[in-house]
Amino acid sequence: MSNALDALIEIFTWVGLGGGSLLALVAVVLLLADGTWMPARAVVEDVEGGRVVRWFDDDGGVNEAPLSAHDDQKIGRADMADIFYRRGTAHRMRLTRSSPGVRFVSLLAAGVLGLGAVAFVISIVLLFARG
């Protein structure tokens, strides 16, 4: 029984630390690929074919992007909204600073690394407890 427990803890340690490190590396690559998103205050307007938001970027340029159905529902009937636009790219915006995909992979990496760390600590404790 103790050999099976040792093997299970060893597997969780290696998979947790190794897999968590790889996931953390993927999260960093995704974060870098996502780019820099700057906050802005945008005006929401009704146009033919739906609603759009218009804002000024950090270079003073005027940008416009159509609202998706999900973003339109989140904004509601407000005539102004706080948005985030991508620096260096015209006409791209979203309502959150960070990407949901990056956030998911980062939290998954933290969880898997945490599992590996807990398994490592249990392994050390069992090593000293057995003498």
Side-chain angles (χ1 to χ4, degrees), residues 87-110:
R87 178 187 284 169
T89 305
H91 311 295
R92 288 194 60 193
M93 74 93 194
R94 63 183 178 204
L95 297 178
T96 59
R97 180 180 293 274
S98 63
S99 168
V102 173
R103 191 176 323 121
F104 173 74
V105 174
S106 299
L107 290 174
L108 184 62

Side-chain angles (χ1 to χ4, degrees), residues 4-129:
L5 181 64
D6 289 342
L8 188 64
I9 291 172
E10 189 76 18
I11 290 169
F12 277 130
T13 300
W14 284 105
V15 169
L17 295 178
S21 298
L22 287 175
L23 281 171
L25 181 65
V26 169
V28 168
V29 169
L30 288 175
L31 182 65
L32 292 174
D34 190 35
T36 302
W37 292 80
M38 305 292 296
R41 186 83 171 149
V43 176
V44 181
E45 294 184 358
D46 292 315
V47 296
E48 287 183 33
R51 293 174 56 176
V52 297
V53 291
R54 293 185 176 122
W55 70 94
F56 292 105
D57 60 19
D58 57 344
D59 295 328
V62 178
N63 292 278
E64 175 182 290
L67 283 175
S68 67
H70 181 264
D71 290 343
D72 192 17
Q73 182 181 13
K74 277 186 125 179
I75 291 175
R77 296 308 312 163
D79 53 346
M80 294 194 83
D82 292 321
I83 64 161
F84 297 91
Y85 67 92
R86 186 165 181 181
R87 178 187 284 169
T89 305
H91 311 295
R92 288 194 60 193
M93 74 93 194
R94 63 183 178 204
L95 297 178
T96 59
R97 180 180 293 274
S98 63
S99 168
V102 173
R103 191 176 323 121
F104 173 74
V105 174
S106 299
L107 290 174
L108 184 62
V112 173
L113 277 169
L115 175 69
V118 167
F120 179 72
V121 168
I122 290 172
S123 173
I124 297 298
V125 167
L126 287 177
L127 180 69
F128 284 110

